[in-house]
Amino acid sequence: MKHHRSDFLVIGSGLAGLMTALGLAELGTVALLAKCELTGSATLWAQGGIAAVMAESDSFEAHTRDTLNAGAGLCHEDVVRHVVSQGPKVVQELIERGVLFTQEAGDSFPDKLPFHLTREGGHSQRRVLHAADATGRAIETSLAKQARQHPNIRIFEQHNAVDLINGSKLGLNDPGCLGAYVYDKVRQEVRTFLARATVLATGGAGKVYLYTSNPDIATGDGISMAYRAGCRVANMEFIQFHPTCLYHPQAKSFLITEAVRGEGGKLRLINGEAFMHRYDPREELAPRDIVARAIDAEMKRRGDDHVLLDISFRPAEFIKNHFPNIYERCLLLGIDITREPIPVVPAAHYTCGGVMVDLNGRTDLPRLYAAGEVSHTGLHGANRLASNSLLECAVYAQDIREHVRATWPALQAIELQPVPDWDESRVTDSDEEVVVSHNWDEIRRFMWDYVGIVRSNKRLERARRRVELLKGEIEEYYRHFRLSNDLIELRNLVLVAELIIRSAQARHESRGLHYSLDYPEKAPILQDTVMQKDWPDPCLYRVDAAADAVVPQTAGSKHQVLDG
C-alpha cells in the first residue's frame, strides 16, 4: 500500500490538474492526487469566469493588448499571444466536457452559441464567459465527474505531496523527476508515488497572508517542492490582492466577483462617497492592483475597516439572475444586496509568480511539468488580467498533453527505478504541536503587515529577519518530529514567504502588484526576478520584448535566451 506506480502523476485537482489528467489518460494510467476532497481546489471558488475571444466585435489583438497593459511591461508577449489564440479552442473543449456557460439570446458568436459575456476590470471588451457567478464550480464538478468515471484515472483524495523525487539527488542514473513522496492524511503515513512524468497543478500561496480569498489548501506546496528540487521560480513578489472580499466576521474568504463592478457596481466610502475617480480614469474598471491600492489608501486615510460596493441601483431581478450565489450568501448574513451596498476589503487572491515553465509547461527538472497558478509562464507579468487564470490553466493543460503525446514513445521506454522508502526511523511523535499553530499564525500576520499591498525597505527587512528565524525553527522541528499535514503546509508556507520577501527586496521599483514607498517609480529596464535554490540571492533577468524571451541582465546579446 505504500508504493504506487503509474504512467503519470498529477498533483492537484483543479481545472489545470483535471484537464491534464483527462488528456493524459488517453495515453496511459494516471494517479490524480487531491489534497482534500477531489472538488476542494481553488477552481471551485472561482466566481468570475474564463476570458476568451468569442464575440465578433472582439479580437485576439484586443485581448493581447489588454493583457499586456495589465501586466505592466513584464508579460512575455509570445506567451500572451499563444494563450489568447487558444481561448476559443479550450472553451469549446470545456463545453464538450459538459460545462454549461450562461447563455443570452440575441448575440451572434462564431460557434453560434449565444453566450452571455461580461466585462471585468482591465478588459476593453465583454469577453468573460461565466456560469452565473459560480463558474469555477461548474467547471470543477463537470471535469471531476469525468475523472471519476475514467478507467485510466485513479483518484487519491486526502493525499498531500511532501517532496518531489529527483533522481539525480538520489544518485540514480535517471536525472529526472521520478514522482513524489506523498502523505496519506487518513492513514497518516508517507507513500511513494512513481511515474514516468509528473505534473504540478497545486495552485497558489494565498494562505501565506492573514486575509485571503483562497481556500485553506493554498499553502504554496508545488512552488516550494519544485524550488527544493532545484527548479527556478520567478516573480514571487507579484501577489494579487483582490479588491473586494466580503467583510463580515462569518464570511471567511468569500469573494465578491469582479463582474459586480463590470456590471456597474460602484465603490463608495462608508459615508456613501465615491472615490475611484481620484485614482484612475477607468474608475471601478481599472486593473485590480490599482483598485486594491485605492481601497487600501482610503481605509488607511480614514481609519475605516472596510469600504462599500454598491450594485443595489440595478433591478433586483438582474442582480438575482447574474449573482445568485453572492445574493444568497449575503442574504444569509443579513445583507440584501438588492437594497444595500456590500461591505468589502482587499485580500490576497492570486500568486502571479511561480515555477518557471516553457511553452510546453516544462520545468527545469526533466519530466516535471507545471500548470496553473503554481507556474510562471510569463502570461501575467506584474499583474494578472481578470479571468485570464482559468484560461491559462486550460491552455497549459492542453500544451502539456500535446508535448507528452509527442514524446510518449521515449517516455514509455523509461524503466522506473526503485527509490528509497521515506525514512521515519529517526523521528518521534511531537509533544510541541503548539509550535506549528503559533508559527503559522505569526507568518501570516507579519506577511500581511509588512509584505502586503504597500511595502517599504524597512517593512521588508523586518519580515526577512522574522522569516529566517522561523524557517530555522521549523526545519529543526521537521527533522525531529513525525510528519503531520499541518507541518507539511507550515514548511511550505515559510519557504514561500521567504521567496516572496526576497523577491520584493530585489525589485527596486514600483510596478504592477509590487508597490514600494522607497521606489515609487518604474525602473527603465523590464526585469523578471528569478531564484534558484543554489543561488545566494535573486537574479534579475531582463524581459526582452524584441526577442520575446527572458535574458540575463548581464548578457551582452538579446539572443542569449534562457531555456525554460
Side-chain angles (χ1 to χ4, degrees):
M1 294 297 294
K2 287 192 176 184
H3 291 80
H4 186 274
R5 288 172 178 255
S6 58
D7 292 315
F8 308 108
L9 172 63
V10 177
I11 307 174
S13 61
L15 169 56
L18 288 169
M19 276 194 74
T20 304
L22 288 165
L24 295 179
E26 298 173 7
L27 299 174
T29 57
V30 179
L32 176 61
L33 305 186
K35 191 174 178 182
C36 48
E37 64 276 7
L38 181 63
T39 56
S41 75
T43 295
L44 189 77
W45 295 48
Q47 294 178 354
I50 180 169
V53 175
M54 303 298 290
E56 292 176 346
S57 59
D58 201 1
S59 68
F60 291 150
E61 193 60 38
H63 192 177
T64 297
R65 183 172 58 250
D66 291 345
T67 301
L68 294 174
N69 288 340
L74 290 191
C75 297
H76 300 186
E77 189 168 339
D78 60 333
V79 173
V80 175
R81 293 188 179 280
H82 167 66
V83 173
V84 166
S85 70
Q86 297 301 304
K89 180 180 177 181
V90 296
V91 164
Q92 187 59 41
E93 179 178 344
L94 289 172
I95 293 169
E96 291 171 358
R97 292 193 179 278
V99 179
L100 300 176
F101 292 108
T102 297
Q103 296 178 306
E104 182 175 80
D107 292 338
S108 177
F109 300 93
D111 57 6
K112 308 304 181 186
L113 285 175
F115 297 119
H116 177 268
L117 301 176
T118 191
R119 183 181 174 192
E120 297 182 344
H123 289 275
S124 60
Q125 301 283 332
R126 284 181 171 267
R127 66 167 66 96
V128 180
L129 291 93
H130 61 101
D133 60 349
T135 310
R137 180 174 297 276
I139 291 173
E140 182 79 7
T141 52
S142 296
L143 298 184
K145 180 180 179 181
Q146 292 193 18
R148 289 193 186 279
Q149 295 173 344
H150 202 293
N152 272 358
I153 298 177
R154 187 172 175 187
I155 297 167
F156 295 85
E157 296 178 295
Q158 305 297 334
H159 278 64
N160 190 7
V162 181
D163 266 319
L164 297 167
I165 302 174
N166 184 335
S168 61
K169 292 191 175 184
L170 291 176
L172 303 178
N173 294 328
D174 186 341
C177 182
L178 308 180
Y181 291 113
V182 179
Y183 183 71
D184 183 334
K185 294 162 66 172
V186 176
R187 294 185 175 87
Q188 297 185 4
E189 65 181 18
V190 177
R191 304 175 64 184
T192 304
F193 281 74
L194 299 179
R196 303 181 193 280
T198 300
V199 181
L200 288 174
T202 54
K207 293 300 286 190
V208 78
Y209 286 95
L210 184 62
Y211 301 111
T212 177
S213 65
N214 290 185
D216 290 341
I217 61 173
T219 50
D221 304 330
I223 296 169
S224 300
M225 287 191 296
Y227 181 82
R228 288 194 293 265
C231 297
R232 288 169 298 163
V233 300
N235 287 2
M236 289 299 296
E237 68 270 37
F238 296 119
I239 302 295
Q240 187 176 73
F241 290 82
H242 196 287
T244 55
C245 280
L246 181 60
Y247 179 77
H248 192 282
Q250 299 172 30
K252 180 182 178 182
S253 305
F254 188 73
L255 179 71
I256 304 299
T257 175
E258 190 110 0
V260 172
R261 302 202 311 280
E263 295 296 339
K266 295 290 292 183
L267 286 165
R268 304 184 186 279
L269 302 176
I270 292 175
N271 63 9
E273 177 189 352
F275 60 89
M276 277 307 303
H277 61 279
R278 297 199 290 265
Y279 293 90
D280 193 279
R282 292 166 290 186
E283 300 186 8
E284 278 74 13
L285 290 178
R288 289 174 175 175
D289 59 324
I290 296 172
V291 179
R293 278 201 300 275
I295 294 173
D296 184 70
E298 290 296 326
M299 287 169 58
K300 285 183 168 63
R301 179 178 70 85
R302 292 172 48 89
D304 294 337
D305 292 329
H306 64 277
V307 297
L308 301 172
L309 177 58
D310 190 9
I311 190 74
S312 63
F313 53 87
R314 297 298 301 266
E317 285 307 308
F318 174 89
I319 295 171
K320 293 176 184 178
N321 289 335
H322 282 75
F323 309 111
N325 289 285
I326 294 174
Y327 171 75
E328 292 293 339
R329 182 64 182 272
C330 288
L331 199 61
L332 286 174
L333 298 171
I335 305 166
D336 184 350
I337 67 173
T338 67
R339 298 173 177 272
E340 58 189 315
I342 309 166
V344 294
V345 291
H349 182 57
Y350 192 86
T351 310
C352 285
V355 184
M356 291 182 69
V357 298
D358 65 9
L359 282 169
N360 295 307
R362 293 179 298 176
T363 71
D364 294 325
L365 183 59
R367 304 200 306 280
L368 176 67
Y369 298 82
E373 192 174 354
V374 68
S375 68
H376 171 266
T377 64
L379 173 66
H380 304 309
N383 184 18
R384 175 179 69 90
L385 183 66
S387 290
N388 267 358
S389 53
L390 292 180
L391 174 65
E392 181 188 47
C393 287
V395 170
Y396 272 85
Q398 166 192 275
D399 293 338
I400 291 170
R401 286 164 10 196
E402 292 306 311
H403 185 266
V404 171
R405 186 182 300 277
T407 58
W408 182 227
L411 283 174
Q412 279 184 299
I414 294 172
E415 185 173 345
L416 295 176
Q417 302 181 41
V419 301
D421 288 336
W422 184 262
D423 184 8
E424 285 193 325
S425 61
R426 290 171 290 181
V427 299
T428 62
D429 291 327
S430 172
D431 58 356
E432 298 178 341
E433 287 291 340
V434 68
V435 173
V436 175
S437 60
H438 280 198
N439 284 355
W440 178 287
D441 184 65
E442 185 174 351
I443 291 168
R444 298 182 68 207
R445 286 186 180 278
F446 74 65
M447 287 297 291
W448 182 262
D449 291 339
Y450 300 145
V451 201
I453 296 172
V454 177
R455 300 161 180 174
S456 70
N457 289 345
K458 185 178 293 185
R459 293 174 190 172
L460 291 175
E461 184 55 38
R462 287 172 180 159
R464 179 75 174 266
R465 288 197 298 267
R466 283 161 174 76
V467 81
E468 288 175 348
L469 177 63
L470 286 176
K471 187 181 177 186
E473 289 181 2
I474 292 165
E475 282 299 321
E476 182 181 6
Y477 188 97
Y478 175 80
R479 287 193 300 269
H480 288 90
F481 297 113
R482 191 163 280 108
L483 275 185
S484 67
N485 187 68
D486 288 346
L487 178 55
I488 294 168
E489 291 184 331
L490 179 63
R491 181 182 180 228
N492 292 331
L493 205 71
V494 75
L495 176 55
V496 81
E498 181 188 36
L499 296 177
I500 293 169
I501 295 165
R502 290 174 59 200
S503 295
Q505 287 182 310
R507 185 165 294 281
H508 294 173
E509 64 166 345
S510 289
R511 182 182 299 276
L513 300 168
H514 173 76
Y515 187 83
S516 170
L517 296 174
D518 297 290
Y519 308 103
E521 304 298 325
K522 290 181 180 178
I525 301 175
L526 302 174
Q527 298 169 321
D528 283 332
T529 312
V530 182
M531 291 175 290
Q532 195 170 32
K533 186 177 180 182
D534 297 331
W535 297 352
D537 294 300
C539 184
L540 295 175
Y541 282 69
R542 180 163 54 86
V543 177
D544 193 316
D548 286 338
V550 183
V551 184
Q553 183 185 354
T554 56
S557 168
K558 69 181 181 182
H559 301 297
Q560 186 175 346
V561 179
L562 280 175
D563 182 23

